[in-house]
Amino acid sequence: MGLDIMWVTGLIVIVAIFIVLSAILYSKSIHRDGKKAKYDERQMAVRGRGYMFAFYTAVIVSVIPCFFTDEMKLFFGDLIYFIPLIVGMMVHTFYCVWNDAYIELNLDSKRWMTSISCVGLANLMIGIGNCSKGLLIDGEINSGILNLIVGIFAFIVLIEIRVKNNLNKKKEAEEDEEFEA
């Protein structure tokens, strides 16, 4: 069975785009005022707790397949190994966003959100392309759905950050009104 020329060409194009975008973002730096973005002490502590929660969540989720029947294990296929990692990343990200520790200080959030949007969009496109063959292949979930999950996750993170920023702005406005009164 030979490789499909379109698949190989698409893969080469995606890798080339990724390399070019990475080089551009690295060279332009996504930090404000030319200062290096850093997490402050509070953010570091919150991120540490986030990593702890993510680790324990991933451990618990990785134990769940032990209770699956053999048919269920075959149905999930290779995804059974990636699901705990994805869930752990989601826990860490959500915890850090809601505790204002996800985005570094001095970081240009618009550029950062644009790059996350590109990553999410690329994963969605790859996932949709992979899933065009079907969600099930030989009775097993198509592992290409992983890209779809990562793409959806990226956009959920963007929405979550947007909501958190709006809540922070409302809170600051209320505090300013109380201070002026």
Side-chain angles (χ1 to χ4, degrees), residues 31 35-40 43 103-107:
H31 303 106
K35 295 179 184 176
K36 181 154 176 65
K38 293 182 180 178
Y39 295 105
D40 63 11
Q43 287 178 313
I103 297 178
E104 301 167 310
L105 300 173
N106 299 322
L107 186 74

Side-chain angles (χ1 to χ4, degrees), residues 13 31 57 75 83 85 92 112 118 146 171-172:
V13 167
H31 303 106
T57 302
F75 177 72
I83 290 172
L85 298 174
H92 176 263
W112 183 85
C118 291
L146 190 61
K171 186 177 178 182
E172 287 176 13

Side-chain angles (χ1 to χ4, degrees), residues 9-106:
T9 305
L11 182 65
I12 291 171
V13 167
I14 289 170
V15 169
I17 289 172
F18 178 76
I19 290 171
V20 168
L21 279 175
S22 297
I24 290 171
L25 288 175
Y26 182 75
S27 67
K28 289 202 173 227
S29 181
I30 57 175
H31 303 106
R32 275 189 237 139
D33 303 330
K35 295 179 184 176
K36 181 154 176 65
K38 293 182 180 178
Y39 295 105
D40 63 11
E41 293 83 17
R42 186 197 60 79
Q43 287 178 313
M44 293 295 286
V46 169
R47 289 175 59 83
R49 281 191 304 278
Y51 285 124
M52 179 188 67
F53 293 144
F55 172 75
Y56 287 121
T57 302
V59 168
I60 291 168
V61 172
S62 65
V63 170
I64 293 172
C66 293
F67 303 105
F68 286 178
T69 63
D70 290 339
E71 292 82 21
M72 287 177 70
K73 289 178 185 175
L74 289 174
F75 177 72
F76 283 104
D78 293 337
L79 288 178
I80 211 163
Y81 305 111
F82 292 106
I83 290 172
L85 298 174
I86 298 293
V87 172
M89 287 189 316
M90 288 179 180
V91 167
H92 176 263
T93 303
F94 295 162
Y95 181 79
C96 289
V97 166
W98 286 107
N99 289 288
D100 295 320
Y102 193 66
I103 297 178
E104 301 167 310
L105 300 173
N106 299 322

Side-chain angles (χ1 to χ4, degrees), residues 115-175:
S115 64
I116 294 297
S117 298
C118 291
V119 168
L121 187 61
N123 274 290
L124 281 176
M125 290 171 37
I126 293 168
I128 290 169
N130 286 336
C131 291
S132 66
K133 300 172 188 170
L135 290 177
L136 293 176
I137 297 177
D138 297 329
E140 183 178 308
I141 293 180
N142 183 351
S143 60
I145 200 168
L146 190 61
N147 288 100
L148 202 57
I149 292 169
V150 170
I152 292 169
F153 175 58
F155 284 104
I156 289 172
V157 168
L158 290 173
I159 292 168
E160 184 180 18
I161 289 172
R162 197 63 129 167
V163 168
K164 179 64 175 158
N165 287 343
N166 288 341
L167 289 175
N168 286 347
K169 286 178 184 176
K170 282 183 182 180
K171 186 177 178 182
E172 287 176 13
E174 289 174 3
E175 288 175 359

